């Protein structure tokens, strides 16, 4: 018997690799038997997917043979072993058999760069290897054929979504079969379990309630939390005010199921992850709860409970979506709506998962469009979702209905009678002179729409109170300084903190920090953003002053940022609605105003509505597999910034920065993957995202690390108090 390798480092035969797939197949079937999949066909594609690796050119590549010619991707060769006669005898339809061929051929999305004749030639050559190959678990589940009937498969064929019922059902079957094969194969290659069981969350939530009852014997889940517990098996949309325990409500709805908890901002996600792993799921976190966004590894390094020995495996489990509970950003999950080549494993996973969407009102029009489409797919494929939000734009419900998404809503909103805010609308631009007399042994938060406006107000207040604590936070600080500021504003923003201070901020504090200041002075952005900002003042206490929120509506002008990233129509409608908001403002009134301003009817003439509908129509308009994954990632994240290190920071920390770059430049034989990840994490501490429009105003020097990575040194000044400070672009000399 000839020994055929599937992998070379470390050496693993095709049979050994397939054994690992079958082990993960059994794990998946045991934990989630309700998945809408033909289990025999899934087992079959696991058995057959890598048989094409017997070909001489692949074996030559892994150091186990010799051959001359053009290597055909092995998935396209593995289709030669599909036992189509057996499948026909078992009663499988032509469409179902096509799905088997396609799932095997495309389990790696490799570009087709070979002719049909070259493919047929390599298929014929496999007969020689097949004669010397033995794998007892194949039994009669493999049947080599040198000729494949084109009604079942040919290399150019694809299974598309289609429009009629049969085509839609075939596409769903394909997504499920290929997606689950991918999950099982990825796990086997990574040496991890495809799924870890959620047998802990309900018990953890019961312990959490018991902890509450130790402090207060009468403590119980509130009406929101009980509602979510009672509707675990349904898609739910609920509106609940800040402070109602939405995190606990979401986890109670999730129960002992596989689930994903999504939030709009990384800082909010990090805070939820920290809270869940330290207060709720306090044991075996690396097998139970994961954190998934672009900076996952660095966050894992920060948590002392993640010992160094297990971080790599924990990170792998998280990236492979193997953990029972994952807290993540939208882009990590919902990019599947673009149906790029290789999307199937995400949608197949979500078909047996539950997804929690928190703070839906924070998403931009394009992300909201992707979210709506994503929820429609999850619903159609059998997954479950719940949307929990403090304020719900009316257009969201209309769009869910338009896209035939099935969900329930409670008859009443979960809102208390308490009043937390009393508003005074100031009909001018935001003004530091207006703010000055209010600062006396208290804690003031000032929120501006733009960084330039925040810097101006900060500088003026700093000059007015040179010996007092005045701080600035926005997005244009390097990561190291931004993290320090987030920690500091969190401490200063606790209601029992006796130290007086003024913090000037941008929208970075709108929904990411659990802070509770005494007074809020803010520019008007839009009504939704305003109510988010108001949640940073008197967050969890009843109103006991005449006024605690001052909103500057711009007077005869518009506020900063309007017409740029703030929709002018929504701003003007918000400004008009504010005319009736002087004085105490109930939570119910806030919700009613949001529903009114963000109703489909009110938005129809806005850029927000145009962008939202354009994004919906755009994603629906193209065929599956039209875009590649790299293109989708850039579209989904809507990246309009450059990651760079300010020149001042570079010069002050050159030795340390260079040392990390040197580690990243070394080969994998010299430096471990973990050392490189740590170096990359440490290097990122000196970086920030610079908007395109600012980047174009100066120069950037590109420093190459290796073939794939570079670091940009951006020509600007930098202060840990103010952030980046642009220099006047130097005029070019007329003389050489």
């Amino acid at each position: 018997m000839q020994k055929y390798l599937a992998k070379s480092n470390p050496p693993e035969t095709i049979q050994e690799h397939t054994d690992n797939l079958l082990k993960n197949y059994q794990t998946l079937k045991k934990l989630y038997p309700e998945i809408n999949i033909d289990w025999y066909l899934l087992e079959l594609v696991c058995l057959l997917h890598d048989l094409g690796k017997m070909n001489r050119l692949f074996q030559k590549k892994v150091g186990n043979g010799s051959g001359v010619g053009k290597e055909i991707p092995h998935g396209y060769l593995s289709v030669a072993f599909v036992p189509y006669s057996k499948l026909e005898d078992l009663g499988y339809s032509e469409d179902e058999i096509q799905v088997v061929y396609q799932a095997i051929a495309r389990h790696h999305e490799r570009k087709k760069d070979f002719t049909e004749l070259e493919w047929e030639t390599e298929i014929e050559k496999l007969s020689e290897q097949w004669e010397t190959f033995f794998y007892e678990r194949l039994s009669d589940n493999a049947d080599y054929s040198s000729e494949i009937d084109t009604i079942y498969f040919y290399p150019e064929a694809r299974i598309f979504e289609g429009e009629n019922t049969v085509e839609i059902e075939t596409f769903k079957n394909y997504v499920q079969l290929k997606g689950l094969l991918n999950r099982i194969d990825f796990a086997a290659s990574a040496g991890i379990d495809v799924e870890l069981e959620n047998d802990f969350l309900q018990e953890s939530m019961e312990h959490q309630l018991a902890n509450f009852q130790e402090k207060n014997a009468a403590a119980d889940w509130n009406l929101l939390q009980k509602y979510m517990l009672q509707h675990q098996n349904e898609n739910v949309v609920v509106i609940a005010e800040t402070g109602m325990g939405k995190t606990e409500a979401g986890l109670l709805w999730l129960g002992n199921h596989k689930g994903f908890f999504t939030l709009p901002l990384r800082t909010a996600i990090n805070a939820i992850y920290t809270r869940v792993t330290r207060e709720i799921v306090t044991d075996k976190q690396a097998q139970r709860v994961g954190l998934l966004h672009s900076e996952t590894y660095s966050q894992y390094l920060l948590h002392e409970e993640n010992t160094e020995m297990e971080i790599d495996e924990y990170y792998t489990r998280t990236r492979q979506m193997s953990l029972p509970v994952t807290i993540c950003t939208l882009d990590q999950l919902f990019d599947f709506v673009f149906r790029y080549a290789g999307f199937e494993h995400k949608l197949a996973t979500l078909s047996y998962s539950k997804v929690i969407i928190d703070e839906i009102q924070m998403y931009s029009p394009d992300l909201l469009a992707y979210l709506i489409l994503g929820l429609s797919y999850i619903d159609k494929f059998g997954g479950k979702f719940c949307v929990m939000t403090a304020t719900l734009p009316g257009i969201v419900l209309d769009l869910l209905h338009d896209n035939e998404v099935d969900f329930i809503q409670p008859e009443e909103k979960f809102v208390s009678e308490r009043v937390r805010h009393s508003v005074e609308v100031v009909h001018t631009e935001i003004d530091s002179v207006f703010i000055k007399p209010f600062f006396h042994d208290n804690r003031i938060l000032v929120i501006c729409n733009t960084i330039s406006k925040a810097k101006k107000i900060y500088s003026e207040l700093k000059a007015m109170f040179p010996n007092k604590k005045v701080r600035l936070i926005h997005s244009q600080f390097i990561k190291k300084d931004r993290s320090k500021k987030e920690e500091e504003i969190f401490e200063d923003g606790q209601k029992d903190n006796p130290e007086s201070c003024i913090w000037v901020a941008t929208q970075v504090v709108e929904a990411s920090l659990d802070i509770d200041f005494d007074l809020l002075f803010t520019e008007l952005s839009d009504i939704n953003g305003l109510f988010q900002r108001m949640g940073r003042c008197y967050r969890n206490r009843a109103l006991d002053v005449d006024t605690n929120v001052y909103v500057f509506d711009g007077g005869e002008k518009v506020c900063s940022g309007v017409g740029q990233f703030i929709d002018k129509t929504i701003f003007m409608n918000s400004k008009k609605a504010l005319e009736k908001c002087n004085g105490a403002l109930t939570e119910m009134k806030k919700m009613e105003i949001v529903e009114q301003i963000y109703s489909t009817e009110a938005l129809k003439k806005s850029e927000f509505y145009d962008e939202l509908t354009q994004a919906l129509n755009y994603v629906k308009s193209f065929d599956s597999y039209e875009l590649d994954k790299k293109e989708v990632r850039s579209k989904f994240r809507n990246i309009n910034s450059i990651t760079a290190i300010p020149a001042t920071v570079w010069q002050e920390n050159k030795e340390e920065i260079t040392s990390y770059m040197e580690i990243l430049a070394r080969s994998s034989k010299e430096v471990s993957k973990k050392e490189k990840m740590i170096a990359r994490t440490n290097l990122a501490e000196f970086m920030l995202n610079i908007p395109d429009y600012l980047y174009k105003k100066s120069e950037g020097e590109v420093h190459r690390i290796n073939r794939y990575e570079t670091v940009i040194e951006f020509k600007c000044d930098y202060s840990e108090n103010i952030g980046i400070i642009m220099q006047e672009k130097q005029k070019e000399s007329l003389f050489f």
Side-chain angles (χ1 to χ4, degrees), residues 432-627:
S432 56
V433 174
F434 182 96
I435 298 168
K436 183 180 178 181
F438 290 91
F439 185 41
H440 43 79
D441 296 325
N442 56 358
R443 295 168 304 112
I444 288 178
L445 178 62
V446 182
I447 304 181
C448 303
N449 292 342
T450 63
I451 293 173
S452 58
K453 181 70 77 172
K455 287 179 178 177
K456 177 178 181 292
I457 296 294
Y458 164 77
S459 298
E460 291 169 355
L461 289 170
K462 188 69 178 171
M464 292 173 185
F465 303 105
N467 301 316
K468 296 288 186 177
K469 186 173 188 178
V470 182
R471 297 285 188 270
L472 174 68
I473 184 170
H474 52 68
S475 61
Q476 288 176 11
F477 287 99
I478 62 172
K479 189 181 174 197
K480 181 166 59 172
D481 292 341
R482 169 107 174 245
S483 297
K484 286 179 188 172
K485 286 177 177 291
E486 285 172 354
E487 289 174 12
E488 192 177 3
I489 193 174
F490 178 78
E491 290 173 9
D492 288 345
Q494 299 310 300
K495 64 183 178 183
D496 54 357
N497 190 325
E499 186 178 2
S500 61
C501 62
I502 300 177
W503 274 88
V504 182
T506 58
Q507 66 268 31
V508 296
V509 300
E510 278 185 14
S512 60
L513 296 168
D514 187 0
I515 50 179
D516 186 355
F517 280 77
D518 300 321
L519 287 176
L520 171 67
F521 297 84
T522 178
E523 285 189 280
L524 176 62
S525 53
D526 63 279
I527 209 74
N528 224 334
L530 172 63
F531 292 160
Q532 285 294 318
R533 294 174 185 188
M534 287 166 66
R536 309 311 114 191
C537 168
Y538 274 60
R539 184 169 176 79
N540 279 312
R541 46 179 161 154
L543 187 68
D544 56 3
V545 292
D546 291 336
T547 304
N548 57 1
V549 176
Y550 295 85
V551 182
F552 297 82
D553 69 0
E556 296 299 314
K557 302 178 182 178
V558 296
C559 294
S560 65
V562 175
Q564 296 169 292
F565 55 89
I566 298 170
D567 186 287
K568 189 170 183 179
T569 301
I570 296 174
F571 172 84
M572 296 308 294
N573 289 345
S574 300
K575 188 171 181 175
K576 188 174 181 181
L578 267 186
E579 293 172 3
K580 304 171 186 176
C581 290
N582 269 310
L585 192 60
T586 65
E587 298 303 307
M588 185 61 80
K589 181 66 175 175
K590 291 178 192 175
M591 293 177 182
E592 288 170 358
I593 293 171
V594 169
E595 287 176 17
Q596 168 199 331
I597 290 177
Y598 283 87
S599 69
T600 303
E601 192 61 36
L603 287 173
K604 277 199 169 170
K605 294 181 180 178
S606 69
E607 288 183 15
F608 180 97
Y609 183 82
D610 290 343
E611 287 179 38
L612 176 56
T613 51
Q614 283 170 17
L616 279 165
N617 293 333
Y618 169 68
V619 178
K620 289 178 178 179
S621 69
F622 55 75
D623 287 327
S624 303
Y625 313 110
E626 198 170 310
L627 304 178

Side-chain angles (χ1 to χ4, degrees), residues 367-427:
L367 291 181
L368 184 57
Y370 308 150
L371 177 58
I372 297 293
L373 290 174
L375 294 180
S376 73
Y377 273 112
I378 290 169
D379 182 37
K380 290 180 179 73
F381 273 71
K384 298 295 177 189
F385 70 84
C386 82
V387 174
M388 300 186 303
T389 185
T391 52
L392 181 67
I395 194 171
V396 171
L397 296 177
D398 291 342
L399 288 171
L400 288 172
H401 287 303
D402 291 346
N403 286 274
E404 300 178 344
V405 182
D406 184 41
F407 64 93
I408 63 167
Q409 268 190 290
E411 292 183 7
E412 296 182 6
K413 301 176 179 70
F414 296 101
V415 56
S416 67
E417 296 298 318
R418 68 178 177 171
V419 178
R420 297 183 295 143
H421 300 114
S422 181
V423 176
E424 180 179 323
V425 180
V426 185
H427 301 296

Side-chain angles (χ1 to χ4, degrees), residues 565-719:
F565 55 89
I566 298 170
D567 186 287
K568 189 170 183 179
T569 301
I570 296 174
F571 172 84
M572 296 308 294
N573 289 345
S574 300
K575 188 171 181 175
K576 188 174 181 181
L578 267 186
E579 293 172 3
K580 304 171 186 176
C581 290
N582 269 310
L585 192 60
T586 65
E587 298 303 307
M588 185 61 80
K589 181 66 175 175
K590 291 178 192 175
M591 293 177 182
E592 288 170 358
I593 293 171
V594 169
E595 287 176 17
Q596 168 199 331
I597 290 177
Y598 283 87
S599 69
T600 303
E601 192 61 36
L603 287 173
K604 277 199 169 170
K605 294 181 180 178
S606 69
E607 288 183 15
F608 180 97
Y609 183 82
D610 290 343
E611 287 179 38
L612 176 56
T613 51
Q614 283 170 17
L616 279 165
N617 293 333
Y618 169 68
V619 178
K620 289 178 178 179
S621 69
F622 55 75
D623 287 327
S624 303
Y625 313 110
E626 198 170 310
L627 304 178
D628 64 33
K629 188 173 182 179
K630 188 175 181 181
E631 190 178 356
V632 165
R633 298 303 284 176
S634 64
K635 284 179 181 294
F636 198 94
R637 289 177 176 173
N638 196 14
I639 298 169
N640 292 308
S641 62
I642 307 294
T643 302
I645 300 176
T648 311
V649 174
W650 188 289
Q651 296 308 318
E652 290 173 356
N653 302 275
K654 190 171 184 178
E655 190 174 330
E656 188 177 351
I657 290 169
T658 305
S659 71
Y660 299 138
M661 292 173 64
E662 287 172 352
I663 292 171
L664 293 171
R666 293 179 195 165
S667 71
S668 55
K669 292 180 181 178
E670 298 175 293
V671 180
S672 69
K673 178 184 174 184
K674 175 184 271 183
E675 288 176 290
K676 287 198 172 191
M677 290 296 285
I678 292 171
R680 191 171 285 111
T681 297
N682 290 335
L683 183 61
E685 291 291 303
F686 298 104
M687 295 179 176
L688 52 73
N689 290 325
I690 298 170
D692 278 349
Y693 75 91
L694 273 186
Y695 188 74
K696 290 170 184 173
K697 290 183 178 180
S698 188
E699 299 172 2
E701 183 178 348
V702 179
H703 298 267
R704 182 157 294 283
I705 297 174
N706 51 42
R707 280 177 61 191
Y708 308 104
E709 294 177 277
T710 58
V711 178
I712 296 173
E713 178 186 353
F714 183 59
K715 304 297 181 186
C716 68
D717 291 328
Y718 179 84
S719 158

Side-chain angles (χ1 to χ4, degrees), residues 92 123 143 160 227 319 360 443 455 586 652 667 705:
Y92 286 102
I123 291 278
D143 185 12
F160 293 98
Y227 180 87
R319 299 295 303 175
I360 196 171
R443 295 168 304 112
K455 287 179 178 177
T586 65
E652 290 173 356
S667 71
I705 297 174

Side-chain angles (χ1 to χ4, degrees), residues 72-73 75-77 79 101-102 105-106 109-121 123 148-160 174:
I72 308 292
Y76 286 95
L77 302 180
V79 296
Y101 275 95
Q102 288 286 345
R106 300 184 183 278
E109 290 289 351
R110 303 273 158 77
K111 288 187 176 179
K112 180 185 170 293
D113 61 351
F114 54 87
T115 66
E116 198 147 329
L117 179 60
E118 288 171 329
W119 172 67
E120 290 170 350
T121 302
I123 291 278
I148 296 166
D149 195 324
T150 55
I151 66 165
Y152 291 136
F153 181 80
Y154 56 94
E156 287 79 11
R158 269 278 192 193
I159 292 176
F160 293 98
Y174 170 65

